[in-house]
Amino acid sequence: MIPVQGVQNQTIAVLGLGRSGRATAAALREGGATVVAWDDSAETRAQAEAEGLPLLDLTRDTGWRDRIDALITSPGIPHLYPHPHPAIAQALRRGVPVDNDIGLFFRSFGALDWAGFDTAPRVICVTGSNGKSTTTALIHHILRAAGRPTQMGGNIGTGVLSLEPPVDGEVVVLELSSYQTDLARALTPDVAVFTNLSPDHMDRHGGFGGYFAAKRRLFAEGGPDRCVIGVDEDEGRYLANQMGQGPQDDRVIRVSVEDKLDGFGWSVSARKGYLSEWRKGRQIASMDLRGIRGLPGAHNHQNACAAYAACRSIGLAPRDIEAAFHSFAGLPHRSQTVAEINGVRWVNDSKATNVDSAEKALMAFENIRWIAGGMGKEGGIAALAPLFPRIRKAYLIGHSARDFALQLSDTPHEVVETMEAAVARASAESEPGDTVLLAPASASFDQYPNFEKRGEHFTALVEALRRG
């Protein structure tokens, strides 16, 4: 646990008592604060009260009669758009500072006593629309493989205040969502990574501009020593321009999977599967990403470039990074190879819950036997039509199976309804060199509580096949 600094003898209110909220309350208490708490769920409130957290209804005027010095809210609770949560609205009217656990982490992490350390700990933060979880996990994996002390947390793994106090030379790697960067009152990463940007969470941020602004705060207000920025969209190019003093400023490392970036002070790109690092007009290193099983496809090559650049920025050698790439197994449910059986590759990309992410998965493989379906989004899979020639056959499950069948038209397909049937049919019909790809292009809620459970079911069925 990282005790929160600067809260001794203060009364701090915590809104939202899930995993991060409870960890925040514990860290505040450890720092000497008096904590009161609230959650909209009666069941969650009862659990928190049983654990000794005093409750206070922060949505009512009566809850604010006594002094409250700050309100700490969980990331999923709206603080501005589409409208502030009633408890946050109360705080805003009263001028009570509103923060989140990320803000508390940064103001407390740097306040720890590091006087005896030879090398001060550092923080690498990763944000963006797609690939930030894989990029975060990949950076963490590279650091571990290189023998560097490291922890991973934030929007993936451990909550930030549940991390252990850092040791000499440690690197903490955090995935940060737009919900987290939007509100944090302190953001001071040593290295900040921006993967890419595509429309998401529009209602929460008041539109695309607000969404980008939330991501941009990590850089513009965080003031990192190094910025690793994907520049394949206008927003990334704009951000890189804002953070640098010119094209030769190597405090900004530009990343691309579309363009050769040899005219900048520092850049990393991957074209046709080959990663290249350029610095001040010279190629420093290169490597072939195509045979790395844990990083298939151009979208994962972009993740690899971002992770490579972040690790290079803190002094790791190219050969050490490349070696770690080959031992990276990938994250569960994200283009994860779960088995190879009789020459057939089985890939779990259950996280592909929309057309954009399914497109990236389909582009990463050939000779595809595609398991798709679930609670389809507006427009179905029509936008994927240019990729249908890559599909040997589709096996359609769930609520949208018949709608998807109509859109597949002449592409071989079969409505099989369930995951069990899809895996059985794909196993019976696949041939060496095929890839059986679960990339549903749909939400899971018709048959599973979340995409993780869907992916776990697929993996279990494949494992049963492997065992025979």
Side-chain angles (χ1 to χ4, degrees):
M1 179 190 300
I2 295 177
V4 177
Q5 304 297 305
V7 295
Q8 196 164 16
N9 300 321
Q10 293 185 9
T11 299
I12 310 293
V14 175
L15 177 64
L17 297 173
R19 177 175 64 96
S20 67
R22 284 184 169 132
T24 298
L28 284 164
R29 283 175 153 180
E30 190 70 17
T34 298
V35 175
V36 295
W38 187 253
D39 193 286
D40 291 338
S41 165
E43 181 181 353
T44 302
R45 290 198 302 270
Q47 292 172 352
E49 195 169 32
E51 294 171 7
L53 267 179
L55 299 177
L56 186 64
D57 189 348
L58 300 168
T59 66
R60 300 178 181 274
D61 288 337
T62 53
W64 294 81
R65 286 177 180 169
D66 295 328
R67 176 183 172 186
I68 293 177
D69 295 289
L71 174 66
I72 311 302
T73 181
S74 293
I77 299 173
H79 60 270
L80 185 57
Y81 300 116
H83 50 76
H85 183 278
I88 296 177
Q90 291 274 7
L92 297 177
R93 281 197 294 270
R94 289 168 167 76
V96 173
V98 181
D99 204 349
N100 61 18
D101 61 339
I102 302 301
L104 296 180
F105 167 83
F106 276 110
R107 89 184 204 195
S108 304
F109 184 81
L112 299 171
D113 184 10
W114 297 348
F117 290 170
D118 292 329
T119 304
R122 285 185 278 189
V123 180
I124 298 175
C125 292
V126 181
T127 194
S129 295
N130 300 306
K132 57 184 180 292
S133 294
T134 296
T135 301
T136 302
L138 182 55
I139 294 169
H140 179 61
H141 173 78
I142 294 166
L143 290 166
R144 290 182 63 189
R148 298 286 290 271
T150 180
Q151 297 182 75
M152 179 176 69
N155 201 46
I156 182 174
T158 306
V160 289
L161 295 174
S162 295
L163 295 169
E164 294 299 320
V167 300
D168 194 332
E170 186 162 41
V171 181
V172 174
V173 191
L174 302 180
E175 177 192 340
L176 299 183
S177 72
S178 59
Y179 291 4
Q180 294 169 311
T181 58
D182 196 19
L183 186 63
R185 296 171 73 89
L187 287 166
T188 54
D190 297 283
V191 180
V193 180
F194 176 87
T195 57
N196 51 57
L197 200 74
S198 60
D200 205 357
H201 309 305
M202 296 296 99
D203 58 337
R204 177 64 183 267
H205 296 293
F208 194 51
Y211 176 52
F212 175 51
K215 302 286 190 185
R216 182 178 177 272
R217 288 192 76 241
L218 182 64
F219 298 81
E221 299 188 28
D225 297 329
R226 292 267 192 227
C227 301
V228 176
I229 300 176
V231 294
D232 287 337
E233 297 95 22
D234 287 339
E235 291 81 8
R237 288 186 282 269
Y238 172 82
L239 182 59
N241 185 278
Q242 289 274 296
M243 298 308 296
Q245 294 300 313
Q248 296 307 310
D249 187 347
D250 66 3
R251 292 173 301 174
V252 177
I253 307 176
R254 289 167 169 82
V255 167
S256 176
V257 290
E258 295 180 1
D259 298 316
K260 182 180 180 181
L261 302 174
D262 55 0
F264 296 96
W266 201 347
S267 67
V268 180
S269 59
R271 302 177 69 203
K272 298 182 179 179
Y274 288 89
L275 181 150
S276 298
E277 177 188 1
W278 287 77
R279 196 162 187 182
K280 299 188 183 304
R282 293 193 310 115
Q283 186 171 350
I284 303 298
S286 66
M287 60 189 67
D288 187 352
L289 301 175
R290 293 173 302 169
I292 299 175
R293 296 184 69 82
L295 296 167
H299 63 300
N300 273 312
H301 295 169
Q302 183 184 55
N303 300 334
C305 285
Y308 176 95
C311 291
R312 288 287 287 138
S313 75
I314 60 170
L316 269 66
R319 64 179 179 276
D320 294 332
I321 298 172
E322 183 175 13
F325 280 170
H326 284 278
S327 61
F328 181 65
L331 283 181
H333 319 300
R334 296 164 174 87
S335 294
Q336 175 197 20
T337 297
V338 295
E340 186 163 325
I341 305 170
N342 299 325
V344 177
R345 186 175 182 179
W346 293 79
V347 177
N348 168 21
D349 203 332
S350 185
K351 183 67 166 61
T353 57
N354 56 41
V355 164
D356 287 344
S357 50
E359 177 186 39
K360 292 179 173 64
L362 289 168
M363 290 177 65
F365 304 100
E366 297 179 349
N367 301 321
I368 297 168
R369 294 188 179 273
W370 184 30
I371 300 177
M375 293 292 292
K377 309 292 175 70
E378 184 177 353
I381 56 172
L384 297 175
L387 297 174
F388 288 171
R390 305 174 75 90
I391 299 167
R392 296 197 65 185
K393 185 175 179 179
Y395 306 88
L396 304 174
I397 64 174
H399 179 268
S400 297
R402 284 166 177 77
D403 292 335
F404 283 13
L406 292 173
Q407 292 177 311
L408 282 163
S409 187
D410 294 334
T411 300
H413 62 271
E414 182 178 350
V415 175
V416 294
E417 303 287 358
T418 68
M419 187 71 74
E420 290 91 345
V423 169
R425 295 293 294 156
S427 175
E429 297 179 351
S430 58
E431 300 172 355
D434 287 353
T435 294
V436 181
L437 172 65
L438 171 65
S442 306
S444 61
F445 305 125
D446 56 333
Q447 295 179 315
Y448 302 92
N450 50 51
F451 74 83
E452 291 95 342
K453 292 298 183 186
R454 177 171 60 192
E456 289 167 7
H457 188 201
F458 171 79
T459 301
L461 292 169
V462 174
E463 180 62 22
L465 281 177
R466 189 185 65 80
R467 292 194 304 266

